[in-house]
Amino acid sequence: MSVIAVAASPEVRELFFDADAWAALRRLGEVRLPDAGDDVGDETVLAGLLADADVVVTGWGCAPLTSAVLAAAPRLRLLAHTGASVKPFVTADSFARGVRVTQAGEAMAYAVGEQALALTLALLHGLHRFDHALRTGVDWATAKAAPPRRELRGATVGVVGASRTGRCYLGLVRALGARVLVADPYLSDAEAATLGVERADLADLLGRSLVVSLHAPVLPETVGMIGARELALLPDGALLVNTARSALVDEAALLAALRTGRIDAALDVFDAEPLPVDHPLRRLPNVLLTPHEAAGTVGSRRRAADIVVAEVDRFLRGLPLRHEVRPADLDRTG
């Protein structure tokens, strides 16, 4: 019988796996869990858990498959991650050893796209400003004196990154009547036509969009891609939504732009997480903040568990994986 080690904290296991998912996983093999109090972020603990495992299911905080861990896990042949990015876990050694990799990022795309839509609508209608004004005790007339509010219908929305989440988001905003520009070097004209969007370079997109939503992966070429120069291209009153990664944006430049009041932003990701309680972003009325929870719906996490179980099943039956990550894919994924 195959051994499936679940290298995830109790919190992650509870969030992702319901009774049905556990039952499905146990039908595939013997499921091994960490001992109570064990931290799978510790290489020694992980190595012990994987000693006779054929498959490892990973969650946040799991240690990487270093050469030492691999040496202690001679049977290991598959890493199935409950999230999207596998870069914290896979290594050159694991690929060289033939450990295959799969992930459940597709499960989260719709949830992130839907939250990005919710943030977009909140910014357009000034909900964050109204809420801030009323909670800080200003009088009714002052609270009502928000900048002009706009509708999504007929607005130009710029999507940076035609990723899974980017495609979910653009589909949602198009359904509500937005015109969509997309900046993505890998998006072909044919794909853009199929999606019903217009391709644009980043500078053009920033200059023409009322709303800009970020959905690009963190790669060497995308780190800091939105800096002071790019923010200056945004029209007055533009809105920036970031549910992707904070590294895409120069946070100091963004803070400076927000302090002028010229643009508004909705942010789910930050350079420092948890966001310090005294961080200046917390005090700005033109910023809507959420604590890195865009993908955290019940449905998203349950879908992720279902994908992992299905991938483990396919692997054990010798069938092609549907969400496999190969070494070459890491150059284009976050």
Side-chain angles (χ1 to χ4, degrees):
M1 176 180 283
S2 297
V3 174
I4 304 165
V6 181
S9 67
E11 176 194 19
V12 171
R13 301 198 301 265
E14 181 178 355
L15 286 172
F16 284 82
F17 289 86
D18 61 9
D20 289 341
W22 282 120
L25 195 63
R26 290 189 172 103
R27 284 194 291 271
L28 303 179
E30 180 185 345
V31 174
R32 298 275 177 84
L33 301 177
D35 291 334
D38 278 356
D39 177 10
V40 292
D42 183 304
E43 284 191 21
T44 302
V45 171
L46 181 63
L49 181 65
L50 302 185
D52 58 353
D54 303 282
V55 173
V56 58
V57 174
T58 56
W60 311 312
C62 180
L65 296 182
T66 62
S67 57
V69 171
L70 292 165
R75 289 171 45 179
L76 187 67
R77 288 295 178 269
L78 177 70
L79 181 152
H81 183 46
T82 51
S85 177
V86 299
K87 286 183 176 179
F89 316 109
V90 302
T91 62
D93 288 336
S94 65
F95 279 122
R97 233 281 298 277
V99 177
R100 296 171 68 187
V101 178
T102 187
Q103 47 79 25
E106 184 178 282
M108 304 174 184
Y110 181 81
V112 176
E114 191 171 85
Q115 173 151 326
L117 169 65
L119 296 176
T120 296
L121 291 170
L123 292 182
L124 284 166
H125 290 270
L127 304 187
H128 58 307
R129 286 179 176 264
F130 289 139
D131 182 73
H132 179 85
L134 290 172
R135 288 179 183 275
T136 53
V138 303
D139 64 84
W140 190 259
T142 302
K144 289 171 70 70
R149 286 160 286 143
R150 280 73 58 91
E151 298 171 356
L152 186 56
R153 183 173 57 183
T156 298
V157 174
V159 176
V160 180
S163 59
R164 289 177 298 234
T165 61
R167 292 178 189 228
C168 287
Y169 172 77
L170 70 85
L172 290 168
V173 297
R174 285 191 68 243
L176 293 178
R179 299 186 299 268
V180 178
L181 309 177
V182 177
D184 188 319
Y186 298 104
L187 182 69
S188 68
D189 289 333
E191 286 178 305
T194 298
L195 293 171
V197 302
E198 177 186 343
R199 289 182 65 217
D201 64 32
L202 182 61
D204 183 37
L205 179 148
L206 294 171
R208 294 168 57 192
S209 300
L210 171 61
V211 180
V212 174
S213 190
L214 305 182
H215 299 277
V218 173
L219 304 171
E221 60 269 29
T222 64
V223 171
M225 68 188 301
I226 306 295
R229 184 182 71 85
E230 290 74 24
L231 292 166
L233 296 174
L234 292 169
D236 289 349
L239 312 170
L240 179 68
V241 176
N242 189 4
T243 55
R245 289 290 184 267
S246 65
L248 302 175
V249 182
D250 180 333
E251 189 175 273
L254 176 60
L255 184 58
L258 290 166
R259 280 173 165 157
T260 70
R262 195 179 72 83
I263 65 172
D264 286 27
L267 308 173
D268 185 55
V269 288
F270 309 94
D271 286 355
E273 294 185 5
L275 187 67
V277 294
D278 61 348
H279 197 286
L281 283 172
R282 289 180 180 257
R283 298 191 295 273
L284 294 176
N286 55 331
V287 184
L288 175 56
L289 306 174
T290 57
H292 202 152
E293 278 294 326
T297 67
V298 172
S300 168
R301 287 166 173 164
R302 295 298 186 246
R303 287 192 298 272
D306 289 344
I307 286 175
V308 164
V309 171
E311 287 288 80
V312 172
D313 180 38
R314 279 189 282 269
F315 172 76
L316 294 177
R317 290 195 290 145
L319 300 176
L321 298 172
R322 292 180 181 169
H323 304 278
E324 185 162 10
V325 179
R326 296 175 175 85
D329 297 327
L330 296 180
D331 293 336
R332 290 180 54 180
T333 59

